[in-house]
Amino acid sequence: MIVFLNGKFVAEKKATVSVFDRGFLYGDGLFEGVLIKDGLPFRWDQHMERLGEGIRFLKLTMPYRAEKLHRFALELVKRNRIPDCILRLSLSRGITARGYSPKNAVHPAVVMTLHPLPVAGGKGIPRWHVIVASLRLPVNDPLTRFKTANKLTQVLARAEADVAGAQEAILLNTAGYVGEGTTSNVFWLEGGAVFTTPLPSGALPGVTRATIFDVCVKMNIPCREKKIKPAGLFRAHGAFLTMTSMGVVEIGFLDGRRLRRSPLVSKLAAAYKEML
């Protein structure tokens, strides 16, 4: 595997970052996971917009413009000959003196790697077992708007899902409302309309989440934000997750209880695939 590291394309075994890098020491950085389809990044501009907002908020330095990163990404895909994959772009603040202070960080680390797409298995839309994690997200936390390099809450929640034999875990916020999945946004159906959690509830402004809003506009389906507690998902007419790696995934079971199903979920999934 060829890796992009700080302006160069190097073999995977030679792609190293310092043990004193703040991304390694403190999770002081950002990342994006971009779907590559037929050799091209899907919704690159939206990913770069979110990354840019995170860079400004964390006061990081990105040494390359989005257009140049785009060229690097295309070259990386070409060199590895993997036209369908996930591209992970990581940005760390770099190396500073020991301590939390970010002063004098002048050499950020920029890394891009390619990863195989997960195998859905079976026919039709994937249908997952999901649990509600015990950990909670803060309400109105500005950091939830970005993919920061510190995702311990999501890591521990996913570990709970692994123990339970589930494919995903939903994180509630401190007020008891649904925030997001560990790597996904949560949607549900009520009366022919599509709903998802508001961003202040702890949801990441996912690129696939935004794509579903566009799909709903195209299909003339109402799509709105709304707070919901887990009990509300059991009353919903159907529920699903969205993520870059898998697109649309139906929630089949929540904490071991079967959820209702709607044919609209499969229609939304098909419309999303058409957009690809």
Side-chain angles (χ1 to χ4, degrees):
M1 177 72 70
I2 302 298
V3 173
F4 174 86
L5 174 62
N6 296 329
K8 298 180 180 179
F9 295 94
V10 299
E12 180 180 348
K13 292 183 178 180
K14 295 183 178 180
T16 59
V17 177
S18 170
V19 295
F20 299 111
D21 187 274
R22 292 179 63 89
F24 170 72
L25 293 175
Y26 308 119
D28 187 3
L30 297 166
F31 73 96
E32 287 287 330
V34 182
L35 176 64
I36 304 297
K37 181 67 176 176
D38 296 330
L40 298 174
F42 180 62
R43 298 215 158 187
W44 175 264
D45 291 344
Q46 287 88 338
H47 281 284
M48 291 302 100
E49 181 180 354
R50 184 173 63 190
L51 179 66
E53 290 176 357
I55 288 171
R56 289 187 288 273
F57 185 83
L58 297 183
K59 297 180 174 57
L60 300 177
T61 300
M62 168 58 81
Y64 311 108
R65 293 183 179 274
E67 296 82 2
K68 193 166 187 178
L69 277 176
H70 187 264
R71 292 197 296 271
F72 285 144
L74 294 179
E75 179 65 21
L76 184 65
V77 172
K78 181 179 178 180
R79 291 190 181 209
N80 284 289
R81 300 180 181 179
I82 308 177
D84 297 310
C85 59
I86 296 294
L87 180 147
R88 178 181 167 118
L89 189 160
S90 302
L91 169 66
S92 166
R93 196 182 301 273
I95 302 171
T96 59
R98 182 182 177 278
Y100 290 145
S101 174
K103 290 191 301 183
N104 302 320
V106 294
H107 298 293
V110 183
V111 180
M112 284 192 286
T113 54
L114 302 181
H115 307 272
L117 290 171
V119 179
K123 296 181 180 179
I125 181 173
R127 196 159 177 254
W128 282 4
H129 288 253
V130 178
I131 65 165
V132 175
S134 63
L135 290 90
R136 297 289 181 266
L137 297 167
V139 178
N140 292 316
D141 182 357
L143 288 176
T144 61
R145 303 200 310 263
F146 317 114
K147 284 198 168 185
T148 65
N150 190 324
K151 289 290 186 181
L152 277 178
T153 301
Q154 287 75 9
V155 168
L156 294 176
R158 182 53 198 265
E160 290 184 5
D162 291 343
V163 171
Q167 287 90 8
E168 176 62 305
I170 289 176
L171 288 153
L172 308 183
N173 61 32
T174 49
Y177 291 97
V178 172
E180 63 177 3
T182 64
T183 59
S184 61
N185 288 110
V186 181
F187 286 79
W188 67 96
L189 308 174
E190 292 181 20
V194 177
F195 293 88
T196 191
T197 57
L199 299 182
S201 292
L204 176 80
V207 172
T208 311
R209 175 184 187 270
T211 305
I212 292 299
F213 273 84
D214 293 341
V215 167
C216 287
V217 170
K218 186 177 180 180
M219 298 176 67
N220 199 28
I221 299 171
C223 189
R224 308 184 183 98
E225 293 182 341
K226 179 181 176 181
K227 293 194 292 186
I228 192 172
K229 292 189 174 182
L233 293 176
F234 293 111
R235 296 190 294 268
H237 299 150
F240 62 96
L241 307 168
T242 61
M243 63 200 80
T244 294
S245 59
M246 298 286 290
V248 176
V249 174
E250 187 175 15
I251 303 177
F253 297 83
L254 180 61
D255 283 340
R257 292 176 57 184
R258 188 187 302 270
L259 298 190
R260 297 170 66 180
R261 304 189 69 180
S262 168
L264 181 55
V265 176
S266 294
K267 293 179 181 178
L268 290 168
Y272 168 77
K273 287 184 178 180
E274 285 183 10
M275 277 197 166
L276 295 181

